[in-house]
Amino acid sequence: MQSVESKILYNDRLAEGYFRLGLSWKTPEVKAGHFVMLRLSDGMDPLLRRPFGVFRVIGAKGKSTRGTGIELLYRVVGRGTTILSAKRPGESLGILGPLGNGFPAPQKGRKVVMVTGGMGIVPLYLLAQRLPEGTLLFGARSKKETFLLDEFRELGIKIKTATEDGSAGVKGFVTALLEKELSTDTVVYACGPVGMLKAVSRLCLDAGVQCFVSLERSMACGIGVCLGCAVRTINHEARENRNYKMVCSDGPVFDGKDVDWELL
Amino acid sequence: MGTPLKKKLPKKPLEVAIAGLKFKNPVMTASGTFGYGAEFAPYTGLEKLGAIVVKGLSLYPRQGNPGPRIVETPCGMLNAIGLQNVGVDEFIEKKLPLLKDVKTHVIANIFGETIDDYMEVARRLDRVKGVSALEINISCPNVKKGGIVFGTDPQEAFRVVSAIRKSTSLPLITKLSPNVTDIKVMVKAAEDAGTDAISLINTLTGMVIDVERRRPVLATATGGLSGPAIRPVAVRMVWQAAQAAKVPLIGMGGIMNARDALEFIIAGAAAVQVGTASFIDPDAAAKVASGIEEYVQRHGVSVRELTGSLKLA
Ligand SMILES: Cc1cc2nc3c(=O)[nH]c(=O)nc-3n(C[C@H](O)[C@H](O)[C@H](O)COP(=O)(O)OP(=O)(O)OC[C@H]3O[C@@H](n4cnc5c(N)ncnc54)[C@H](O)[C@@H]3O)c2cc1C
Ligand SMILES: Cc1cc2nc3c(=O)[nH]c(=O)nc-3n(C[C@H](O)[C@H](O)[C@H](O)COP(=O)(O)O)c2cc1C
Ligand code: FES
């Protein structure tokens, strides 16, 4: 964990409203599912840092791209990300991280199924890079919202898509695809909109399949001290079995069966 | 005539004395924004701080409020954490020992829902090695019972501070709420009850509404506003409190850098606390301390001399 200034290596438009951001960083070891907090402006408004997952580590293995560091992927949704999208290579950003627990590695022999939609794809790429094989189920409203699938294919990951309007893959929700993938030796990793995570988690619970979800909450500190990013969890062993965990420091990855979905 | 004679800077120009304690510099962390202290060790030099004020402690562990608990606002943030904490016993057993080699004061911030709660927490911290003073939070706006009543009613404030005074030999700092009409009345009540110092301000009650859903953004509807947005209000209240106070004041509210901290000191604060800024930069409080040092050298004036040095026309 460190708090440093980092140079922007590139900030390329990927699609309308989507960007890839390369940051120069003498990266401490990054696990799949880790995130960083970025200071997007030196001013007082927006005030707080913003959390972003790590998409991949760059330039690490000799065949250097445009520097050494990490690559993030973001969608412009508000003021902070709009400011970020206007930044140019050479400018610097405060970076705090790597933060969070990350995804636990799958046990030997488990069949890995990743489920995602939207920006949820970010932490799964780093996970996929480190897997011998696996399947990615991508859910979106339409074909327009599916992206990076070729990059997953290059990693040897099998891809299946579901779109609500049927413009790519099967028509319907990603959970319909998931149902067909579940067997007792499956482990599921999911990151995406909360409604999707809830459905995925329920499906896995019913099927007795282990499922890890990466959650998002508004954050102020990112390091477990403001207690702002709480989610309620269920401890199945304890009598006083409902309590709050911090998404930034206890998570962002949780076992789906431990999350109190009613409160999300 | 010519250049004015540069006054000789007194020894230890950053050192301040409050409640019978000496602080190496006037910069402390604000309760609830610095965890239990050790969490910040990877990011800052804890020994560079005048004091570490830890998260508010209650008699028993507290779960806190459902989420969302925070939302950003213009130049600030609202929080409704609900005073989640590990409880006083676990603090003493597990958290405090992590700071035992850190050469600075540790101040325990305490709160309760009843006067008996407050007294018992104070009693358990009394004579605990490593705790230099207590800061009494009578001002948290998030708890339905207790908090807000003690913080806004001078008689209640007097009752709770007097009771704690009898339960401990530790120096007492009473932390005041800004959600009152006349801060001087609250200053007087805390002083009459025997407080050794006063800190202010806690958060201002605020609210944000999601207009699409026509719902409050925070699960508790309202929360406490902090950050640079509240700084002018905080400086004004410290200045007003200084006109009534006999005991030293510790000022806070939106301090982001040394310049901001100096406003409070010039308005009448003997020391300052850095809160929300630590979320944005975990090294913020230490940077404020070094910035004050630079100012003190440049102006040839000690922090003690600066306190309350505001020039009015
Ligand atoms: C652990 C974690 C990892 C994340 N990883 C990524 C990532 O890899 N890529 C990425 O693009 N984003 C990611 N996010 C979300 C990202 O942090 C937010 O999109 C960003 O903070 C929005 O900032 P803003 O100032 O642009 O929006 P704001 O001005 O703060 O908000 C503008 C609008 O966007 C909405 N909004 C805010 N946060 C989110 C959110 N989390 N999801 C959807 N809408 C939101 C707000 O409700 C509001 O309507 C992650 C969040 C977390 C907690
Ligand atoms: C997330 C958060 C939690 C807080 N928790 C406490 C607390 O437990 N006890 C307390 O006395 N004040 C608490 N405060 C108030 C701060 O100590 C401080 O009085 C206030 O935030 C104003 O200072 P700032 O603008 O520098 O943050 C909290 C503030 C924030 C933002
Ligand atoms: S963001 Fe502060 S505790 Fe998680």
Side-chain angles (χ1 to χ4, degrees):
Chain A
M1 294 170 299
Q2 49 176 242
S3 171
V4 292
E5 286 294 311
S6 148
K7 275 241 152 49
I8 296 179
L9 298 170
Y10 52 89
N11 190 13
D12 299 340
R13 191 167 154 272
L14 178 70
E16 184 59 38
Y18 293 89
F19 289 80
R20 317 170 80 118
L21 176 70
L23 292 175
S24 148
W25 196 25
K26 280 209 188 60
T27 323
E29 207 185 318
V30 179
K31 259 179 87 177
H34 273 160
F35 69 98
V36 296
M37 296 288 283
L38 293 186
R39 180 114 166 86
L40 301 179
S41 94
D42 294 333
M44 299 297 148
D45 200 20
L47 182 68
L48 302 170
R49 288 175 188 252
R50 299 288 193 263
F52 296 94
V54 178
F55 178 64
R56 63 175 167 186
V57 178
I58 51 174
K61 284 202 196 92
K63 87 168 187 192
S64 174
T65 42
R66 285 176 272 179
T68 304
I70 54 170
E71 182 172 298
L72 314 180
L73 219 70
Y74 65 94
R75 185 161 72 98
V76 176
V77 297
R79 281 179 325 123
T81 43
T82 302
I83 291 171
L84 184 57
S85 68
K87 299 249 183 218
R88 294 285 152 252
E91 289 187 59
S92 71
L93 289 176
I95 183 168
L96 179 67
L99 304 169
N101 58 354
F103 289 110
Q107 285 167 322
K108 274 222 168 61
R110 289 292 184 97
K111 200 180 94 195
V112 175
V113 177
M114 294 168 279
V115 189
T116 190
M119 284 286 107
I121 197 152
V122 170
L124 296 180
Y125 187 79
L126 199 54
L127 180 72
Q129 268 191 326
R130 295 168 184 186
L131 290 176
E133 58 189 355
T135 305
L136 179 79
L137 311 179
F138 196 102
R141 270 191 297 256
S142 72
K143 186 171 191 301
K144 230 174 55 241
E145 291 176 11
T146 67
F147 44 85
L148 293 173
L149 299 184
D150 286 342
E151 311 209 29
F152 274 84
R153 254 180 224 115
E154 278 169 29
L155 298 175
I157 300 291
K158 256 192 287 171
I159 299 194
K160 298 180 184 174
T161 48
T163 51
E164 287 170 40
D165 65 0
S167 53
V170 303
K171 188 169 177 295
F173 290 113
V174 74
T175 37
L177 293 175
L178 179 61
E179 254 168 312
K180 297 194 198 118
E181 300 289 333
L182 295 179
S183 60
T184 45
D185 63 348
T186 311
V187 55
V188 171
Y189 295 92
C191 184
V194 69
M196 175 189 282
L197 298 182
K198 192 171 173 170
V200 166
S201 184
R202 179 159 314 139
L203 206 60
C204 291
L205 192 63
D206 291 347
V209 169
Q210 188 159 43
C211 164
F212 296 102
V213 295
S214 182
L215 301 178
E216 286 188 8
R217 290 248 115 180
S218 304
M219 292 182 177
C221 70
I223 57 174
V225 297
C226 75
L227 308 178
C229 63
V231 283
R232 202 161 77 165
T233 56
I234 306 162
N235 179 341
H236 300 277
E237 269 91 64
R239 205 158 52 87
E240 292 249 342
N241 71 351
R242 296 280 201 281
N243 61 49
Y244 291 103
K245 290 257 161 71
M246 297 306 136
V247 169
C248 69
S249 53
D250 300 313
V253 179
F254 293 90
D255 190 323
K257 72 175 185 320
D258 297 341
V259 175
D260 189 348
W261 295 101
E262 295 317 306
L263 266 191
L264 269 180
Chain B
M1 305 293 108
T3 47
L5 254 182
K6 195 154 180 191
K7 209 164 58 86
K8 195 162 163 277
L9 196 58
K11 270 209 200 110
K12 299 191 177 171
L14 289 179
E15 189 176 272
V16 295
I18 297 166
L21 301 168
K22 282 217 167 81
F23 296 87
K24 68 180 125 187
N25 70 52
V27 184
M28 309 174 178
T29 62
S31 177
T33 63
F34 212 70
Y36 300 101
E39 297 93 324
F40 279 79
Y43 307 106
T44 190
L46 296 175
E47 72 294 333
K48 291 183 195 155
L49 305 169
I52 294 169
V53 184
V54 301
K55 177 72 190 163
L57 302 167
S58 51
L59 188 48
Y60 301 110
R62 275 179 67 104
Q63 295 279 329
N65 293 329
R69 292 178 171 187
I70 53 171
V71 58
E72 195 181 58
T73 59
C75 302
M77 63 179 279
L78 280 184
N79 89 81
I81 307 303
L83 294 168
Q84 177 176 345
N85 77 100
V86 298
V88 66
D89 292 338
E90 185 170 330
F91 168 73
I92 294 169
E93 234 170 83
K94 301 219 175 99
K95 304 293 183 186
L96 190 59
L98 302 176
L99 296 175
K100 80 174 185 319
D101 295 326
V102 180
K103 292 193 175 52
T104 189
H105 289 295
V106 175
I107 297 175
N109 179 287
I110 66 166
F111 70 94
E113 292 187 357
T114 63
I115 289 184
D116 286 342
D117 282 1
Y118 272 106
M119 287 170 70
E120 185 56 25
V121 181
R123 204 188 55 72
R124 290 191 192 184
L125 287 162
D126 193 25
R127 297 205 175 80
V128 169
K129 200 161 163 264
V131 175
S132 298
L134 300 183
E135 179 177 59
I136 312 165
N137 178 9
I138 58 168
S139 46
C140 182
N142 293 329
V143 184
K144 286 201 193 90
K145 284 190 279 176
I148 194 70
V149 180
F150 295 120
T152 52
D153 179 332
Q155 260 121 43
E156 287 299 298
F158 175 84
R159 284 206 321 142
V160 71
V161 177
S162 321
I164 297 169
R165 178 72 291 166
K166 292 186 198 97
S167 325
T168 180
S169 53
L170 284 169
L172 295 183
I173 302 162
T174 304
K175 184 167 177 180
L176 300 183
S177 166
N179 303 310
V180 296
T181 325
D182 186 355
I183 198 72
K184 292 182 190 172
V185 176
M186 302 307 292
V187 167
K188 180 93 175 32
E191 283 183 345
D192 289 348
T195 198
D196 299 293
I198 284 169
S199 58
L200 73 169
I201 61 174
N202 208 315
T203 54
L204 285 150
T205 310
M207 184 170 181
V208 174
I209 294 171
D210 176 342
V211 297
E212 294 301 324
R213 295 162 64 233
R214 290 192 233 164
R215 285 169 194 252
V217 172
L218 296 179
T220 49
T222 65
L225 182 63
S226 66
I230 70 171
R231 194 173 60 237
V233 177
V235 171
R236 181 266 297 175
M237 294 193 105
V238 166
W239 179 61
Q240 287 177 329
Q243 292 161 36
K246 298 186 201 76
V247 299
L249 301 178
I250 302 166
M252 81 195 89
I255 295 176
M256 301 300 287
N257 52 43
R259 194 215 67 87
D260 299 347
L262 286 158
E263 276 198 64
F264 285 86
I265 293 170
I266 293 165
V272 294
Q273 291 181 5
V274 174
T276 302
S278 293
F279 300 154
I280 296 131
D281 177 4
D283 190 40
K287 285 188 183 127
V288 170
S290 61
I292 293 176
E293 170 152 38
E294 186 274 323
Y295 179 96
V296 157
Q297 298 290 348
R298 188 156 49 83
H299 286 258
V301 55
S302 71
V303 170
R304 300 182 294 281
E305 291 165 318
L306 277 172
T307 294
S309 63
L310 183 73
K311 298 171 190 164
L312 289 172

